[in-house]
Amino acid sequence: LQFKVLKTMKIGIFGGSFNPIHFGHLRLAEWIVRSGFVDAVWLMVSPQNPLKQQSGLMPESLRYELASLACQQVEGVEACNFEFHLERPNFTWRTLESLRKAYPQHEFSLIIGEDNWLIFEKWARYEEILATTELLVYPRGTEVQEGPTHLSSIAKRIQIMRGAPLFPFSSTEVRERLNRGEGVSDMIPEVVVKRLCEWKQEGL
């Protein structure tokens, strides 16, 4: 992965399987940049999530390709395959540690959903993450929960991003529609639809 790095930046790391990427991911990332929380968002495509089953997961190279295509028209948002080159299974603490070594001129924030913040103590080396990295937490519902307050006291900084756009649908719904042969142009960019159709044809 090579980014054209011209200055010191505050970068938000938004991790996920992006299986596939959809408008919810893109609109949230764009909103975070436009709202001034960070200078840029890197959509960190994960090759393997230690907390998730891997069945139904599209090839990582395809998921990264689709995310890259989707980001072409979104200013300040880029797809990132940095984790592809790390030891597996990978964990967020290692990603953040490796990013700081690779890009020492930057400051990194971690973007997570409210649901993950509520179970943050289950994350590997969560205390290390809290001590070194700002957390940007986006809502999963209309009522934003504050999360475990006892963790807030040991955290570098936590921002609950009230007003962030909610995901209107999920990657699972996109895949289910595709499997049924239904249209998904309202859920994912047209360029992603086209590439997915090509990929399906390649697999026949």
Side-chain angles (χ1 to χ4, degrees):
L1 175 70
Q2 293 293 327
F3 287 101
K4 293 181 180 180
V5 180
L6 302 178
K7 62 176 182 176
T8 299
M9 299 175 68
K10 183 175 181 181
I11 297 169
I13 300 302
F14 185 2
S17 57
F18 301 108
N19 189 43
I21 193 166
H22 56 65
F23 283 130
H25 301 127
L26 295 169
R27 289 167 182 162
L28 174 61
E30 184 178 34
W31 180 88
I32 292 172
V33 174
R34 288 186 174 181
S35 298
F37 288 102
V38 294
D39 299 312
V41 168
W42 290 358
L43 300 180
M44 184 70 66
V45 181
S46 174
Q48 181 180 1
N49 185 332
L51 297 178
K52 285 188 178 180
Q53 296 295 322
Q54 299 304 300
S55 60
L57 195 64
M58 292 186 293
E60 61 190 47
S61 59
L62 176 65
R63 290 184 286 115
Y64 171 64
E65 180 185 357
L66 295 176
S68 298
L69 288 170
C71 290
Q72 287 178 351
Q73 304 301 318
V74 185
E75 187 175 354
V77 181
E78 293 191 61
C80 180
N81 64 359
F82 188 83
E83 286 189 338
F84 290 12
H85 312 291
L86 300 179
E87 180 183 344
R88 303 184 191 187
N90 187 50
F91 294 90
T92 300
W93 68 266
R94 184 179 289 122
T95 297
L96 293 168
E97 180 181 81
S98 300
L99 281 168
R100 283 190 285 266
K101 289 179 180 177
Y103 302 98
Q105 72 274 39
H106 291 328
E107 178 184 351
F108 292 97
S109 299
L110 180 64
I111 300 166
I112 63 171
E114 176 188 9
D115 50 341
N116 273 313
W117 172 228
L118 293 174
I119 60 166
F120 202 72
E121 287 166 292
K122 294 183 178 181
W123 287 39
R125 294 170 68 163
Y126 71 92
E127 291 178 320
E128 178 179 323
I129 297 173
L130 288 172
T132 58
T133 311
E134 176 188 52
L135 262 60
L136 303 176
V137 182
Y138 61 87
R140 284 296 200 179
T142 54
E143 295 296 327
V144 181
Q145 301 183 53
E146 293 296 336
T149 54
H150 67 287
L151 294 187
S152 301
S153 64
I154 63 172
K156 180 179 180 181
R157 190 179 183 191
I158 297 169
Q159 292 204 63
I160 306 295
M161 297 185 293
R162 290 178 173 81
L166 298 176
F167 285 17
F169 37 70
S170 68
S171 294
T172 300
E173 291 177 70
V174 174
R175 295 195 306 275
E176 289 174 349
R177 276 206 204 179
L178 286 169
N179 290 336
R180 294 193 297 264
E182 298 174 2
V184 291
S185 59
D186 60 327
M187 305 173 81
I188 60 179
E190 194 60 42
V191 65
V192 174
V193 176
K194 180 180 178 182
R195 181 65 187 101
L196 276 171
C197 291
E198 292 173 350
W199 174 67
K200 282 185 169 291
Q201 288 296 318
E202 291 165 4
L204 295 178

